[in-house]
Amino acid sequence: MSVSWLRRAWAPDAAVGLAVLLLGLLEVAWRAPSTADGRQLLLVVSAATVVGGSRRAPGAALALAALVSVAQVLAAAPFLLVQVGEASVLFGCARWGNRATVWLSGLAAPLAAGLVLLHAAAGGPLPITGPLDGLSVWLSQSGANWAYAVLVTAVTLLGLPWLAGLTVRFAERARAAKRSQEAAEADTERAHAERSQAQEIAALQEEQARLARDVHDVVGHSLAVILAQAESAQYLPDDEDARDDMKRIMQNIATSARSSLQDVRHVLTGAPADAGGRAGRLDDILTGVRAGGQEVIHTEHGTERPLAPDARNVALRVLQESLTNAVKHGRRSVPVRLDRHWPQRPGEHELRIQVRNAIAAEPKSVASAGLGLAGMRQRLALVGGRLDIQRGTGSEGEEFQVTAWIPIRTESR
């Protein structure tokens, strides 16, 4: 502990104790300086010490006050008016003391009255002299009423400060509880605000990720188809008969670019993927891929079932991305096989889409697909579907196979 802290902590109490000490010395001097003895001076010093320590050391002050009171009664020492200030120790015990100190201080009033009653019952004079001699004589001659008067006086002088300290203690505890409650409510409101902000940020990030997936699928597919068609134009013969083929290829490129622009516009405006007429439909996807020179064998098993809008959108995007990867990483000379399996047996409630393509002699790494495969997994997870990717050997050599399962639900009304 630093000296400055001790000074700040004990300065008010020391000032109060010094004031009590000066008042006590004045009382002793005013009574009869010639009759002053060491007992009176000891009572004054003890009263100043008890009053000064009632806030910082209430338990020690209570013990000192009790010892001095017992010794005063046993020695028949005179009562000093300055000792009334010792009642402040009961206030300090009830206000700042621990639980044991509070209960012990609550017993001080009846115990003090009991000591006086026992002393008087034994035939000893009441330790009241000086200005209170008249009160001493009256109490000694009042017969049965003097005991009642002593009890009332003790309870009044000692009980009321104790009750006041207890009242202030509980009032401060109630204020502290209220402050804690207000702080907890403020923390709760701040936590709610932070959670709402985090949810908004997460929603924005999810929306950004969704837009990135959609734009990647649309633009990636269109560019792959346009690139395939442009590359096929390089192999046209350089004669007059190839002009019609060139016009057809350029028309297909323009159609693919136009469809891509429509899809991007629908993605950015939040419209359904197939809201633009031809854009996003299965026939358009297959036509665009085939127009680039890549043969696609499409086989459908079972009876087509209606899909909910979100599931239908996911099915088209997954199919689009799978065919895009097949065009980019597959062999042009080997057809891409697309199989769509609708539920045919009881208990089946999923559409299974499978795309297989032969891998080119020097394929790009599958990991380079980046948002493609990851985007398909995320899309399927949002509708309760799943994705399986396999690489193995087939009839045309090394093959890459993508299989997606999409739950079938009744289309919402």
Side-chain angles (χ1 to χ4, degrees):
M1 298 181 186
S2 64
V3 177
S4 59
W5 181 87
L6 289 174
R7 187 183 300 112
R8 290 193 304 269
W10 285 93
D13 304 299
V16 174
L18 181 59
V20 172
L21 178 62
L22 294 177
L23 290 175
L25 294 176
L26 290 175
E27 180 184 358
V28 171
W30 176 74
R31 283 187 170 192
S34 59
T35 61
D37 55 17
R39 293 180 304 171
Q40 295 181 8
L41 296 178
L42 181 61
L43 290 176
V44 171
V45 172
S46 64
T49 304
V50 167
V51 173
S54 60
R55 184 171 70 96
R56 287 291 176 179
L62 178 65
L64 178 59
L67 291 175
V68 172
S69 298
V70 172
Q72 185 176 10
V73 171
L74 294 177
F79 180 81
L80 302 176
L81 285 176
V82 75
Q83 287 183 271
V84 176
E86 294 183 2
S88 63
V89 73
L90 298 178
F91 177 87
C93 290
R95 173 62 182 88
W96 294 290
N98 55 30
R99 181 175 296 181
T101 303
V102 171
W103 285 108
L104 289 175
S105 61
L107 299 175
L111 287 177
L115 286 174
V116 176
L117 291 175
L118 289 175
H119 181 70
L126 292 175
I128 304 177
T129 59
L132 300 181
D133 284 339
L135 178 61
S136 176
V137 173
W138 179 80
L139 289 176
S140 299
Q141 297 177 353
S142 59
N145 292 330
W146 74 270
Y148 175 75
V150 170
L151 286 175
V152 171
T153 303
V155 170
T156 302
L157 293 179
L158 303 178
L160 290 181
W162 183 80
L163 291 175
L166 203 62
T167 302
V168 175
R169 182 190 188 98
F170 285 116
E172 179 60 29
R173 184 175 297 179
R175 287 192 294 268
K178 184 178 180 180
R179 289 193 297 267
S180 299
Q181 181 180 1
E182 292 175 352
E185 291 175 354
D187 291 340
T188 301
E189 292 178 359
R190 184 166 55 253
H192 284 317
E194 292 176 352
R195 185 177 64 180
S196 300
Q197 184 178 10
Q199 290 175 346
E200 292 178 1
I201 294 175
L204 289 175
Q205 292 175 343
E206 177 61 27
E207 180 64 16
Q208 291 175 351
R210 184 191 67 80
L211 290 175
R213 291 194 300 267
D214 289 345
V215 172
H216 171 273
D217 293 346
V218 171
V219 176
H221 174 75
S222 299
L223 290 179
V225 171
I226 291 173
L227 179 61
Q229 293 172 348
E231 289 178 344
S232 66
Q234 300 177 7
Y235 301 99
L236 293 176
D238 190 11
D239 54 24
E240 296 293 334
D241 297 334
R243 290 183 178 178
D244 293 338
D245 294 334
M246 180 62 69
K247 289 181 180 181
R248 178 180 54 80
I249 291 175
M250 296 303 295
Q251 183 178 2
N252 290 336
I253 290 175
T255 301
S256 298
R258 189 179 301 109
S259 299
S260 177
L261 289 175
Q262 291 177 351
D263 275 349
V264 170
R265 186 179 299 111
H266 296 149
V267 167
L268 297 179
T269 57
D274 56 351
R278 293 175 54 84
R281 294 188 303 178
L282 176 60
D283 293 341
D284 294 329
I285 296 174
L286 295 178
T287 299
V289 173
R290 288 167 177 161
Q294 178 64 61
E295 183 180 356
V296 179
I297 300 177
H298 176 210
T299 305
E300 192 166 14
H301 306 271
T303 304
E304 183 175 354
R305 302 267 295 274
L307 293 174
D310 55 347
R312 182 169 65 250
N313 183 34
V314 169
L316 289 173
R317 294 303 185 198
V318 168
L319 178 60
Q320 188 179 52
E321 179 62 24
S322 300
L323 291 176
T324 300
N325 289 336
V327 172
K328 291 168 59 177
H329 305 293
R331 296 211 310 261
R332 296 291 182 85
S333 58
V334 179
V336 175
R337 297 186 177 275
L338 166 62
D339 295 306
R340 292 197 300 164
H341 298 264
W342 296 94
Q344 301 182 52
R345 292 179 295 181
E348 292 183 349
H349 303 284
E350 290 180 317
L351 166 63
R352 177 161 59 94
I353 299 176
Q354 188 176 76
V355 177
R356 291 176 297 164
N357 65 276
I359 300 177
E362 296 182 357
K364 298 181 181 179
S365 172
V366 176
S368 66
L371 287 174
L373 298 179
M376 284 195 288
R377 291 187 186 279
Q378 293 173 358
R379 288 180 186 279
L380 290 167
L382 291 176
V383 297
R386 61 190 190 279
L387 181 71
D388 178 69
I389 300 173
Q390 294 183 359
R391 185 170 181 171
T393 304
S395 59
E396 299 293 340
E398 194 172 10
E399 288 185 347
F400 189 73
Q401 177 178 293
V402 177
T403 306
W405 288 267
I406 303 172
I408 295 178
R409 300 191 303 271
T410 303
E411 187 164 353
S412 59
R413 300 293 179 184

